[in-house]
Amino acid sequence: MYALVDCNNFYASCERVFQPNLRDKPIVVLSNNDGCVIARSNEAKALGVPMGAPAFKFKALFEQHHIHVFSSNYALYGDMSHRVMTLLATYTPDIEIYSIDEAFLQFKGFDFIELQSYAETIKRTVDKGTGIPISIGIAPTKALSKVANRIAKKFPQQTGGVYIIDSEEKRIKALKWLAVADVWGIGRKHSARLNAYNIKTAYDFINLHDDWVRKQMSVVGLRLKHELEGKQTLDLETIQTKKAIATTRTFEGMLTDFESIKERVSTFAVSCAEKLRKQQSCCNVVMVFLHSNWHRKDLPQYGKNIVVKTHYPTNSSIDLIKYATQGLEHIYKEGYHYKKAGVIVMNITPENAKQFSMFSEENPKHMPLMKTIDRLNKSIGQTKVKFGSQDLGRTWKMKQEKLSPRYTTKLSEIITIY
């Protein structure tokens, strides 16, 4: 059996853990630079706040209904997620962290365990240990556990936040209830096509012929159909290294001169290098992009990207700064007001399997130097040690006017008990 554990209104719940007075109050959390709504409490949903709502357009609604607005506090959310996942991992060794607020658990060898009470114990433990409310759906396949979780979350009074699909009757009833557009893995395009064929529910979907599903939705859609039929085709996924790593940022203001943009791109390259080293990987390709402010129709527009191949696999910040700067020199043009840039490293290979060129070799001093810098930044504070191409007095900051304290990750902001 598989379980899908989902944290309810995760971002809003994280804020409520440390501000209990916000319970039962409407909450929204905004995206980077306080742009749009990316999370809503049930109370905010009931007031008609849509997902993705631009904050400036809904400011009057927020004030009218006394909706509590927060900037994204990723340090807090990431740490609370880690705490939840660590507790879940104590109940089964087979766990797949699906997202920051979701995880699949597999119960192998639990034939003599009563899963209803076991799941209720998990829920109580997470709630007591973190303060984060969760919903648990259990079923014979991953796709059906998603359906079960949706029922647990939709009907908390009847289910107590735990629902198990453990019979054919429950499976059929759940699939007849679930709209096809809400099935895990069926996106907007496929749901529109299915609705055109009068396929309205998940039950209608599983009654389609396999050949039709494979032709219209590829083998991925066919696997999903089999999963909903109770045939296990998807297993837990293991953690894999990323195929590409990106650091992209919108500038605080528009930049025009090359040196200012170069400093930002150098900082982005350093960030990518740190991420590569963290997963013990190297890259062989660096992409740099730059574009102006598309929203300023009164200004000339320009945007371009370039791909630069490295001479050897590398995760050295020094090397990536060099290649990113070379790319920037080729695409930068004077006379434009630039608003965003980014560095993306690709063609990633394991650090312990480097294939060097006969005539190009990495400086052997880079690796111990990078390890020392990483260790120093970890011990005395991120970005304390910088490179010459970076502005020593500058750190990139998002617009976060409504940021809550980082209660669990920064000692000076830890919660105070009176």
Side-chain angles (χ1 to χ4, degrees), residues 133-328:
I134 62 173
S135 299
I136 304 176
I138 301 176
T141 69
K142 289 175 73 175
L144 283 174
S145 72
K146 272 275 191 179
V147 178
N149 182 276
R150 196 175 188 91
I151 294 172
K153 185 173 286 189
K154 185 73 173 179
F155 306 102
Q157 299 298 326
Q158 296 90 328
T159 64
V162 175
Y163 188 74
I164 303 178
I165 297 178
D166 53 2
S167 68
E168 188 67 5
E169 180 184 0
K170 284 186 176 181
R171 183 181 72 87
I172 297 301
K173 184 178 180 180
L175 296 181
K176 286 183 176 180
W177 167 79
L178 185 64
V180 72
D182 294 329
V183 174
W184 177 49
I186 294 184
R188 187 180 304 173
K189 184 177 179 181
H190 283 314
S191 64
R193 181 183 300 166
L194 291 168
N195 285 332
Y197 285 96
N198 203 34
I199 309 300
K200 303 295 184 182
T201 67
Y203 185 73
D204 296 334
F205 175 64
I206 65 169
N207 283 316
L208 293 169
H209 196 278
D210 280 5
D211 292 340
W212 189 91
V213 175
R214 185 184 184 109
K215 182 179 179 181
Q216 298 294 327
M217 302 176 63
S218 77
V219 68
V220 176
L222 184 59
R223 287 174 184 161
L224 176 59
K225 177 178 180 289
H226 290 167
E227 282 267 315
L228 294 174
E229 291 171 340
K231 305 170 187 175
Q232 182 189 338
T233 60
L234 303 175
D235 207 346
L236 296 185
E237 296 182 3
T238 55
I239 298 175
Q240 298 179 345
T241 57
K242 297 178 180 179
K243 296 181 180 179
I245 292 174
T247 301
T248 66
R249 297 286 187 269
T250 301
F251 304 142
E252 297 170 36
M254 290 183 288
L255 302 179
T256 56
D257 64 294
F258 177 81
E259 289 301 321
S260 296
I261 298 171
K262 176 186 172 184
E263 190 279 330
R264 294 289 80 199
V265 168
S266 296
T267 299
F268 303 159
V270 170
S271 174
C272 288
E274 290 170 348
K275 294 174 184 177
L276 283 169
R277 295 195 294 272
K278 189 173 183 179
Q279 69 171 30
Q280 298 180 327
S281 298
C282 295
C283 73
N284 294 270
V285 172
V286 178
M287 175 189 282
V288 181
F289 74 82
L290 182 68
H291 66 68
S292 54
N293 190 346
W294 307 126
H295 299 290
R296 289 292 301 272
K297 304 301 182 184
D298 57 320
L299 297 173
Q301 300 296 325
Y302 171 77
K304 197 168 184 179
N305 65 70
I306 188 171
V307 172
V308 181
K309 291 185 178 180
T310 65
H311 294 140
Y312 42 79
T314 182
N315 57 22
S316 164
S317 298
I318 297 172
D319 287 336
L320 293 188
I321 288 172
K322 178 182 70 175
Y323 291 119
T325 301
Q326 288 175 3
L328 180 64

Side-chain angles (χ1 to χ4, degrees), residues 14-39:
C14 288
E15 301 291 353
R16 283 172 169 162
V17 168
F18 301 96
Q19 300 184 62
N21 59 303
L22 296 179
R23 291 176 183 173
D24 302 321
K25 302 286 180 63
I27 296 174
V28 297
V29 179
L30 305 180
S31 62
N32 290 348
N33 294 312
D34 294 346
C36 59
V37 174
I38 58 171

Side-chain angles (χ1 to χ4, degrees), residues 328-349:
L328 180 64
E329 289 172 347
H330 280 84
I331 63 175
Y332 171 81
K333 285 187 177 181
E334 291 185 1
Y336 294 95
H337 293 73
Y338 295 103
K339 186 61 177 174
K340 188 173 184 178
V343 174
I344 305 171
V345 294
M346 301 177 291
N347 194 2
I348 294 176
T349 55

